[in-house]
């Protein structure tokens, strides 16, 4: 209970710090604050995906449905964070460069992750038996593991060479100011803790659902 | 400056609501687990 | 139950021959796939006309047609078994990996036949410039191998779900996208005289990775 209160205060405090204490990045102006939300969201998206895939493989080895609960829960939560990252990124792009969507490498990568999550969850929704659902989605997760590096690192570059973008993206140079860095990492930690908390709740729900089914 | 504070307030509000929702959800789950 | 010998190349070859024979008996799948490919090709050609001066669009269209043809046909080997309930029988005789490899080889053969018809038709109908045959065929071969490998695995997965056809496209898309992206880029490059080395290496690497993962995963696909 204390931990949850701590999380509440931690994130709240650093939100305030983001607005009142940390400076703005000159190039970004007032939209600087988006990075404190957008990048941690993207980070959790990747974290959740990794968590889900690891548990998928663990399921295939042990056939313990606990791993399936973990994998499915992480995928659902990951999807939410992925949507958050995509939308915040898009709004940010609009504010900064005038267009909601440019297919620049990073936007493309996050969109592909959206597709992977969507495919995984769509597959799960099409299977009724728990064991078969766990098994088939785990196999898919494992194959997606091969695809993700290509989707995130390679394909966006291909697209980019096909459509060179005149817009210059300066997001790489952000974390120079120490205050910005502090707030950023603090919120990164906060988002990570949030993920694990929501994940644990979702897994508990999954266990309850299974219990109800077994009756 | 004012606009900044409004956005900050909204962000805090959203976080607060999300937190409250999660706490309630967790309480409900705990109840169901006891049965 | 499957013995040592039933995982061997002999088993794979036997499965492959069985698939070919089943397919040849009705030719239903082949006809449907060819019809599908020709239809999509015709629609594109009719709507867009000759695109000799747009290698970028040509490259994209070619691979879109091939992708759709693959999606329309490559899950049938598995769906047929599930619907005919012959899967259990098959598994008594051979290991899951052998079965899947046999079907994979069949799918690759199937894809090759479709492309033999579709690609020349495409080049002619769309008024495409003459390809640099070496690179062009290289992309086709490596791209098709990767496409077939990925589509076969996903096909095997979705054959056991409800709502298969609808699901196949969406679920396989993230897996097949790297192939299509690299293939389109390379196809376009070879028409513009550029190098396709990077994309070919990519297609090869991805294809091998998919194949390796598939071979490890097929064992887990059917366990009842």
């Amino acid at each position: 209970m204390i931990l949850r209160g701590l999380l509440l205060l931690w994130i709240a405090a650093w939100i305030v710090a983001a607005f009142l204490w940390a400076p703005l990045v000159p190039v970004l102006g007032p939209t600087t604050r988006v990075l404190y939300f957008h990048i941690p969201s993207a980070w959790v998206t990747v974290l959740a995906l990794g968590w889900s895939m690891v548990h998928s493989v663990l399921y295939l080895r042990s056939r313990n449905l606990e791993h399936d609960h973990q994998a499915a829960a992480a995928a659902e939560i990951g999807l939410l964070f992925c949507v958050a990252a995509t939308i915040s990124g898009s709004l940010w792009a609009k504010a900064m460069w005038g267009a909601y969507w440019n297919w620049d490498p990073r936007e493309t990568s996050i969109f592909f992750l959206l597709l992977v999550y969507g495919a995984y969850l769509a597959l799960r929704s099409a299977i009724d038996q728990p064991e078969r659902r766990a098994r088939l989605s785990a196999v898919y997760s494992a194959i997606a593991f091969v695809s993700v590096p290509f989707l995130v690192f390679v394909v966006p570059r291909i697209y980019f060479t096909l459509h060179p973008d005149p817009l210059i993206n300066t997001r790489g140079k952000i974390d120079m100011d120490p205050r910005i860095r502090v707030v950023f990492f603090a919120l990164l930690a906060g988002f990570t803790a949030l993920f694990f908390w929501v994940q644990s709740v979702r897994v508990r729900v999954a266990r309850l659902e299974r219990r109800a089914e077994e009756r | 400056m004012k606009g900044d504070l409004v956005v900050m307030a909204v962000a805090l509000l959203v976080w607060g609501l999300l937190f409250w929702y999660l706490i309630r959800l967790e309480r409900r789950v705990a109840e169901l687990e006891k049965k | 139950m499957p013995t040592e010998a039933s995982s061997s190349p002999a088993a794979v070859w036997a499965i492959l021959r069985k698939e070919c024979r089943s397919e040849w008996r009705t030719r239903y799948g082949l006809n449907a796939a060819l019809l599908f490919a020709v239809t999509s090709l015709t629609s594109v050609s009719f709507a867009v006309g000759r695109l000799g001066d747009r290698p970028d669009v040509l490259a994209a269209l070619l691979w879109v047609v091939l992708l759709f043809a693959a999606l329309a046909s490559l899950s049938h080997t598995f769906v047929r078994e599930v619907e005919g309930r012959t899967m259990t029988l098959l598994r008594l005789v051979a290991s899951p990996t052998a079965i899947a490899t046999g079907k994979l080889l069949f799918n690759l053969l199937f894809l090759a036949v479709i492309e033999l018809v579709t690609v020349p038709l495409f080049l002619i109908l769309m008024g495409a410039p003459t390809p640099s045959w070496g690179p062009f065929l290289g992309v086709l071969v490596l791209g098709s191998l990767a496409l077939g490998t990925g589509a076969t695995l996903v096909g095997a997965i979705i054959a056991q779900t409800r709502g298969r056809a609808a699901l196949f496209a969406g679920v396989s898309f993230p897996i097949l996208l790297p192939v299509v992206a690299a293939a389109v880029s390379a196809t376009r490059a070879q028409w513009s005289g550029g190098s396709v080395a990077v994309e070919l290496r990519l297609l090869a690497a991805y294809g091998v990775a998919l194949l390796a993962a598939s071979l490890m995963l097929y064992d887990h696909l059917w366990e009842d």
Side-chain angles (χ1 to χ4, degrees):
Chain A
M1 208 47 211
I2 303 177
L3 280 179
R4 290 159 186 67
L6 225 66
L7 183 63
L8 174 68
L9 291 174
W10 179 264
I11 291 187
W14 288 107
I15 290 179
V16 174
F19 281 88
L20 300 180
W21 183 65
L24 299 178
V25 173
V27 195
L28 301 171
T31 68
T32 304
R33 283 68 173 258
V34 181
L35 76 85
Y36 299 122
F37 175 80
H38 170 71
I39 303 183
S41 294
W43 152 248
V44 171
T45 299
V46 174
L47 173 66
L49 189 63
W51 190 264
S52 179
M53 285 178 168
V54 165
H55 280 278
S56 287
V57 174
L58 288 175
Y59 174 78
L60 287 178
R61 288 178 152 206
S62 70
R63 293 285 189 267
N64 182 351
L65 276 174
E66 257 304 300
H67 290 302
D68 183 59
H69 294 327
Q70 290 283 343
E76 288 180 13
I77 300 169
L79 178 65
L80 290 176
F81 277 95
C82 193
V83 171
T86 309
I87 295 182
S88 59
S90 176
L91 293 175
W92 200 14
K94 174 68 175 172
M96 288 306 304
W97 301 295
Y100 284 111
W101 198 258
N102 267 317
W103 291 114
D104 85 51
R106 259 178 270 222
E107 287 175 341
T108 310
S109 300
I110 201 78
F111 177 71
F112 288 158
L113 289 182
L114 215 50
L115 290 182
V116 171
Y117 272 125
Y120 176 83
L121 292 170
L123 178 63
R124 286 189 72 93
S125 67
I127 310 168
D128 297 321
Q129 306 96 310
E131 280 81 15
R132 178 178 293 182
R133 182 172 56 214
R135 191 166 34 87
L136 293 181
S137 56
V139 171
Y140 183 73
S141 193
I143 201 74
F145 178 75
V146 173
S147 304
V148 165
F150 287 85
L151 286 172
V152 170
F153 295 112
V154 176
V155 178
R157 313 287 159 201
I158 292 182
Y159 188 89
F160 216 53
T161 54
L162 289 177
H163 306 265
D165 206 309
L167 298 174
I168 304 162
N169 191 330
T170 58
R171 254 182 289 168
K173 294 201 186 152
I174 286 182
D175 299 346
M176 293 316 263
D177 188 295
R179 288 193 187 184
I180 294 182
R181 211 176 288 162
V182 167
V183 178
F184 172 73
F185 281 110
L187 281 174
L188 197 67
F191 268 63
T192 308
L194 180 62
F195 165 69
F196 282 114
W197 180 30
V198 180
Q199 168 77 359
S200 71
V201 175
R202 182 66 187 86
V203 168
R204 284 162 69 185
V205 171
R207 286 185 202 131
L208 286 174
E209 285 172 343
R210 192 172 103 209
R211 231 173 58 188
E213 259 173 42
E214 280 166 8
R215 292 225 181 105
Chain B
M1 193 51 192
K2 259 262 181 79
D4 248 20
L5 291 178
V6 170
V7 176
M8 182 182 82
V10 170
L12 286 171
L13 186 65
V14 169
W15 166 234
L17 287 173
L18 177 64
F19 185 82
W20 185 49
Y21 168 76
L22 289 172
I23 290 285
R24 276 186 35 182
L25 182 64
E26 201 173 25
R27 285 223 176 105
R28 182 92 177 96
V29 170
E31 267 173 48
L32 286 171
E33 279 171 343
K34 288 208 182 102
K35 290 186 182 171
Chain C
M1 295 317 273
T3 63
E4 271 304 315
S6 57
S7 306
S8 68
V12 174
W13 180 244
I15 304 269
L16 176 59
R17 277 171 48 218
K18 161 204 150 335
E19 293 294 330
C20 290
R21 236 180 287 134
S22 316
E23 183 59 42
W24 191 248
R25 223 179 290 140
T26 59
R27 292 188 286 281
Y28 158 69
L30 190 63
N31 290 340
L34 280 175
L35 196 59
F36 181 89
V38 171
T39 310
S40 28
L41 186 50
T42 313
S43 317
V44 168
S45 172
F46 189 77
V48 174
R50 301 169 77 76
L51 284 178
D53 57 340
R54 296 297 305 275
D56 50 342
V57 181
L58 279 177
L61 287 173
L62 174 62
W63 282 98
V64 165
V65 170
L66 290 179
L67 173 67
F68 283 7
L71 290 178
S73 39
L74 296 189
S75 65
H76 289 173
T77 41
F78 295 103
V79 173
R80 247 205 320 250
E81 307 286 359
V82 170
E83 284 177 352
R85 314 215 191 210
T86 50
M87 204 49 183
T88 353
L89 203 60
L90 208 55
R91 280 178 53 212
L92 282 175
V93 196
S95 70
T97 317
I99 298 174
T101 312
K103 287 175 183 289
L104 169 61
L105 289 174
F106 173 76
N107 273 344
L108 292 176
L109 201 59
F110 196 85
L111 206 52
V113 171
I114 302 220
E115 288 180 12
L116 260 159
V117 173
T118 315
V119 176
L121 255 175
F122 179 88
L123 294 175
I124 295 170
L125 275 179
M126 304 299 296
T130 320
S132 318
W133 289 109
F136 184 69
L137 289 175
V139 179
L140 260 182
V141 168
L142 287 177
S144 309
L145 284 175
L147 201 63
T149 308
T152 302
L153 180 57
V154 179
I157 294 176
I158 60 112
Q160 301 178 58
T161 69
R162 342 177 237 114
R164 296 168 199 128
L167 216 52
F168 195 14
V171 171
S172 65
F173 190 60
I175 313 292
L176 299 180
L177 187 54
V179 182
V180 176
V184 169
S185 176
T187 307
R188 166 184 162 147
Q190 60 85 34
W191 265 317
S192 314
S195 154
V196 300
V198 171
E199 288 94 346
L200 284 184
R201 243 177 282 146
L202 216 111
L203 285 173
Y206 192 57
V208 168
L210 280 183
L211 182 63
S214 308
L215 290 176
M216 283 192 281
L217 292 169
Y218 279 130
D219 262 331
H220 297 281
L221 274 178
W222 304 286
E223 300 192 3
D224 289 314

